[in-house]
Amino acid sequence: MTLKTLNLNAFKPVWLLGLIPPVLFLLWWDHEAAKGGANALAFVSLAQVGQALIDMFSSGELALSYGSSLGRALSGLLIGGGIGTLVGIAMGLSKPVEWAASPIYNSFRQVPILGWLPLIGLWFGSGDLSKLIIVALSAFYPTVLYTFEGLKQVEARLLDVGRVYRLNGWQTFWRIQWPAALPSIFTGLFQALAFTWISTIGVELLFSSGAGLGAMMQQAQLQARLDIVLVCILFVGLTGFAINFLIKRLSQHVLSWRSVRA
Amino acid sequence: MDYVPHSQIPGHKVKQTGAVSLKGIKKQFNFKDRELKVLSEFSLDVQPGEFVSIVGPSGCGKSTLLRLIAGLDDTYDGTITLDGQRVAGTSLERGLVFQDHRLFPWMTLEDNIALALTNRQISKDAKAKLVADHIALVGLKGFEKAFPHQLSGGMAQRAAIARSLVNEPKVLLLDEPFGALDALTRVHLQGELQRIWLAQGSTMIMITHDVEEALYLGDRVVVMQANPGRITHTVDVNLPHPRDRASPVLHRLKDEILAELTNVPEAPNSVVRLIKGDDQ
Amino acid sequence: MKPDLKLILSVSSPLLLLIVWQAVTAFKLFPPEVLVSPTAVVAAFGEVIATGELQRHLSESLTRLAGGFTTGASLGLLFGLALALSKTVEQVFGPTFQALRQIPVLAFIPMLILLLGIDEVFKIVIIAKAAFFPVALAAYDSVKGVPKSYFEVSSLYRAPWWVLISKILIPATIPNILAGVRLSLTRSWLVLVAAELIVADSGLGQMMEMGRQMFRLDIVMVGVIVAGVIGFGLDRLFQLLQAHALRWKTA
């Protein structure tokens, strides 16, 4: 008796419990798919999904779509994050700029990001440029906010040190304000990275011409190819997971001296 | 006890510069409709090379006073001069040590100290030498590349002292420099500050709430009271440096000052009362 | 009196933007398919209100939002609490929850369309999913984050369980949970607009998409502005509720 309980405990690592819901779900899914008939249209068997994965992989389709989505997200991050950081710096360092820019920033920010798409589409067409603008915009908002907040929150006691040693404006910014705001700026960039990935998928779904995971999903949906859709979801999810993981690790690294008081 | 001016203490470098003079300083903060008098008719003359300690209860304006001398705050009435020159804004001639070390966490100790030399028009080599000398002066050799979070509180405060001295200021202002340290470290650093002062010889004005510290280090101890901040009493400490903490003179003076600080809310000038005993 | 630079700048900058916009259109620097004047947008506003089009789309959108958000947020709350309070639930569902959380909601749209069609059910489900995760996460994190010392204090004074819940657990967790609910409300609105843009049959998003396809820039702009105002209004409304619920916090 005791031996049995012991064995059970020894061979039942808790993480296995976490596999119960996905396994049950997959079994149910396959069962539905095997029923055939009307169900077969909606539910595809796991084997089919696997086959789709292999096909997409070997044809290079997946790599192409994935690469173009990732490229879009990263260039959006670079452009939107870069401009956002500059705007945030201007707003953080100059009160007049802050006063003039913040009502505009705050009112534009209220529009759900993908809500801009019809307008941007009218202006720049439904090609890559429009998509890039939206993705960059999604990176712009958080970087402005966090850069601005980071600079605003630089403590007066640190700035006093700069005054005592007669640092000029540029020296104060470069030696004190910028490094002090850096953790916040990075937080903004990390958030921007997560946002750009989401908005990349979003714009590709909406403007589904051209390459990209979102476009691929959307076209697969029109052809009722759930297997392809699922493969895309898998890769979107894995990338989201990788981004969050990366952010977690990087923040620990970047913010390591934040906890230490100056 | 005979008064031994520090200038006659052997080994103490005598400086001809660093005379600080405060005349009729008035400072008030304005809140919406009320005004709060922080300093009222504060006058003090500090000799070149002198060590003056200022003690007083919290809220007596002593930290504000230091900010005025440092030039961090220019809105006051009265005049502050250094060697006859009116003080305006901050200057590398006036060093300041804060209660918290305020080293920048993203710079090494060396870089933190070098920051103070950013706007000194001297060669790179001269700067490097000054930094190295002052790191050695405060006994932190070997920690040049350390980041502030790798230093203990006491070491960080030494680094802050080195940073404020690296410009060789005529006067060093210390705002409760050891207030945030534990008792043992504080005693140790008081000794170190005394050694540094003797070796380096600039004028020092130190704010503290620790009467013992004020007496141990100061040639003169200025006692302040609050509402509004003003000098109630000045004590000359006629003992040679370096001093013996156990000196009966220091203990007597400490009792006197403590009695004044704890017993007299509205002290008339220059009255030192003896401890009443029941009020302690 | 000293002129208030802050007030002047924060009022004049949006005003200046409007004036420049109006001036650019007045001088016909761009064709009307590219840029319409602010007054044309106002006129379009009047038009869609007079025809009842705006009200119809908006009420469609808001009904969906209400249904999806309420369902998603309340399920999320229950799930998050269960996840935090029961070790078994956490072990079984925790990993799945953490994995699904990583996938952007929008990525589920094509799958849900295939499985559920493009009817109301689909839209409610996608909004509910958007609302579910922030609330579940906030509930889970905040219950997990209640300091152990709080429980120790309550057991020290032999507080009964209902006191523990009403006096400790709820006050300690409600601020974060409400913050999660607020985030999920904003997310729901964003996803709703996106979903309506993708599967156009009705709603504010569809109004914009139709405007785009018919090159009616004025109507698209009305849509953008309304989407922004509604998003802002919802957030502000919730903020007020939040402040009301948390009066004790900074009082």
Side-chain angles (χ1 to χ4, degrees), chain B residues 5-14 194-201 241-242:
Chain B
H6 59 268
S7 51
Q8 293 170 16
I9 299 165
H12 188 96
K13 283 193 240 162
V14 182
Q194 180 156 261
R195 178 183 65 73
I196 291 166
W197 174 63
L198 289 173
Q200 199 254 358
H241 295 275

Side-chain angles (χ1 to χ4, degrees), chain A:
Chain A
M1 198 59 205
T2 32
L3 189 72
K4 202 180 172 192
T5 26
L6 263 180
N7 276 344
L8 258 180
N9 280 336
F11 291 103
K12 197 179 70 182
V14 283
W15 62 267
L16 278 177
L17 289 175
L19 290 178
I20 296 174
V23 168
L24 281 181
F25 177 78
L26 291 177
L27 286 176
W28 168 78
W29 181 281
D30 234 20
H31 174 73
E32 288 292 316
K35 271 187 194 165
N39 270 323
L41 272 177
F43 294 92
V44 290
S45 68
L46 295 178
Q48 261 173 288
V49 178
Q51 189 56 48
L53 175 63
I54 294 165
D55 290 347
M56 288 157 72
F57 207 78
S58 51
S59 70
E61 238 180 315
L62 188 62
L64 181 75
S65 301
Y66 188 72
S68 97
S69 288
L70 209 58
R72 200 187 316 282
L74 290 179
S75 29
L77 179 71
L78 217 61
I79 297 168
I83 299 175
T85 308
L86 291 179
V87 171
I89 289 173
M91 284 171 70
L93 294 184
S94 155
K95 281 230 180 272
V97 175
E98 176 198 337
W99 293 331
S102 52
I104 296 176
Y105 170 79
N106 281 318
S107 42
F108 275 65
R109 200 162 64 108
Q110 305 306 326
V111 180
I113 190 90
L114 294 174
W116 287 109
L117 209 56
L119 186 64
I120 301 290
L122 274 179
W123 282 343
F124 302 102
S126 48
D128 281 339
L129 180 61
S130 287
K131 293 180 205 168
L132 187 62
I133 290 173
I134 297 291
V135 174
L137 194 64
S138 74
F140 175 79
Y141 289 138
T143 34
V144 170
L145 187 68
Y146 280 90
T147 308
F148 169 70
E149 295 276 335
L151 287 171
K152 275 275 165 196
Q153 280 161 10
V154 178
E155 292 167 89
R157 42 183 222 105
L158 294 185
L159 296 175
D160 274 350
V161 177
R163 289 175 62 199
V164 166
Y165 298 113
R166 301 195 61 79
L167 302 188
N168 61 30
W170 168 250
Q171 289 163 345
T172 307
F173 173 71
W174 189 240
R175 307 295 299 274
I176 302 177
Q177 289 167 299
W178 173 258
L182 211 51
S184 177
I185 294 171
F186 271 110
T187 307
L189 280 176
F190 295 154
Q191 215 179 76
L193 178 62
F195 282 0
T196 52
W197 185 240
I198 294 170
S199 61
T200 296
I201 302 305
V203 292
E204 288 173 355
L205 283 173
L206 274 126
F207 285 171
S208 54
S209 61
L213 279 181
M216 199 179 194
M217 287 166 94
Q218 183 63 9
Q219 279 149 15
Q221 180 240 307
L222 293 175
Q223 298 158 16
R225 286 290 302 273
L226 190 60
D227 47 349
I228 297 179
V229 171
L230 287 175
V231 171
C232 291
I233 291 181
L234 181 71
F235 275 82
V236 172
L238 283 177
T239 310
F241 182 78
I243 288 174
N244 286 344
F245 179 77
L246 198 73
I247 289 173
K248 226 177 181 171
R249 296 303 292 272
L250 283 176
S251 340
Q252 278 165 3
H253 186 72
V254 168
L255 308 182
S256 62
W257 47 256
R258 191 196 232 178
S259 57
V260 187
R261 291 194 51 79

Side-chain angles (χ1 to χ4, degrees), chain A residues 14 17-18 21-22 96 99-100 103 110 112 114-116 118-119 122-123 205-207 217 221 224 230 233 236-237 241 244, chain C residues 6 9-10 13 34 91-92 95-96 102-104 106-107 110-111 113-114 189 194 197-198 208 212 215 217 220 224 228 232:
Chain A
V14 283
L17 289 175
W99 293 331
Q110 305 306 326
L114 294 174
W116 287 109
L119 186 64
L122 274 179
W123 282 343
L205 283 173
L206 274 126
F207 285 171
M217 287 166 94
Q221 180 240 307
L230 287 175
I233 291 181
V236 172
F241 182 78
N244 286 344
Chain C
K6 179 177 179 181
L9 281 174
S10 51
S13 68
V34 174
Q91 281 166 355
V92 175
T96 310
Q102 320 282 344
I103 306 175
L106 295 175
M111 182 184 89
I113 290 176
L114 282 178
W189 180 240
L197 284 171
I198 294 174
M208 291 160 81
R212 180 178 79 92
F215 294 99
L217 193 71
V220 173
V224 168
F232 176 75

Side-chain angles (χ1 to χ4, degrees), chain C residues 4 7 16 26 33 69 90 167 177 239:
Chain C
D4 188 345
L7 191 73
L16 191 71
E33 309 88 72
F69 170 72
E90 191 184 2
K167 293 278 188 264
I177 293 180
Q239 215 179 340

